[in-house]
């Protein structure tokens, strides 16, 4: 149940990020829109923090995820470190979609890990 909760949080925040940037055509457009950027950063912080709580088995199953990239992003967002434009753009264009796809693949291969049992 714990891993299912983590999965749901990552997928929901990733989908929110996708919706926020869907209409944007460039990096400049994202960084020119203060409100959208703040919303994206808030979702990225939730996602990065959640991934930091993955269980060892889930972490091991996602060996191809750029864990260092997530850690750097998490640190910069959590501590308000600037500049972070490169990290944000990398996250929305690569880290988020890659991580969501890999997590879906792990869930498909190991459905029992994500069961909700009471």
């Amino acid at each position: 149940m714990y891993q299912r909760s983590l999965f749901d949080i990552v997928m929901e925040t990733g989908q929110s990020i996708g919706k926020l940037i869907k209409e944007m055509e460039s990096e400049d457009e994202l960084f020119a829109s203060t409100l959208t950027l703040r919303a994206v950063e808030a979702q990225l912080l939730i996602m990065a923090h959640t991934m930091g709580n993955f269980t060892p088995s889930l972490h091991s199953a996602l060996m191809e995820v750029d864990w260092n990239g997530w850690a750097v992003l998490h640190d910069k967002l959590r501590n308000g470190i600037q500049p972070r434009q490169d990290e944000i753009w990398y996250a929305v264009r690569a880290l988020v979609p890659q991580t969501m796809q890999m997590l879906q693949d792990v869930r498909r291969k190991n459905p029992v890990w994500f069961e909700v049992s009471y």
Side-chain angles (χ1 to χ4, degrees), residues 97-108:
Q98 173 201 48
T99 300
M100 290 174 67
Q101 183 60 53
M102 289 181 186
L103 191 54
Q104 287 173 332
D105 292 345
V106 168
R107 184 176 178 193
R108 236 184 328 276

Side-chain angles (χ1 to χ4, degrees), residues 46-112:
I46 293 167
M47 195 171 186
H49 183 78
T50 301
M51 292 181 62
N53 290 304
F54 276 14
T55 61
S57 60
L58 192 50
H59 195 279
S60 295
L62 295 164
M63 293 299 292
E64 294 178 8
V65 166
D66 182 359
W67 291 104
N68 186 55
W70 279 112
V72 168
L73 178 67
H74 189 220
D75 182 55
K76 285 193 169 197
L77 290 171
R78 184 182 61 220
N79 295 307
I81 299 169
Q82 293 285 353
R84 59 178 176 238
Q85 185 170 338
D86 290 342
E87 290 82 0
I88 299 296
W89 189 246
Y90 172 60
V92 299
R93 288 295 181 209
L95 280 179
V96 170
Q98 173 201 48
T99 300
M100 290 174 67
Q101 183 60 53
M102 289 181 186
L103 191 54
Q104 287 173 332
D105 292 345
V106 168
R107 184 176 178 193
R108 236 184 328 276
K109 292 175 186 172
N110 303 289
V112 74

Side-chain angles (χ1 to χ4, degrees), residues 27-46:
E27 180 178 358
D28 292 336
E29 192 173 353
L30 173 60
F31 292 97
S33 175
T34 305
L35 293 177
T36 302
L37 179 59
R38 285 184 185 164
V40 166
E41 287 182 338
Q43 294 300 304
L44 286 171
L45 180 58
I46 293 167

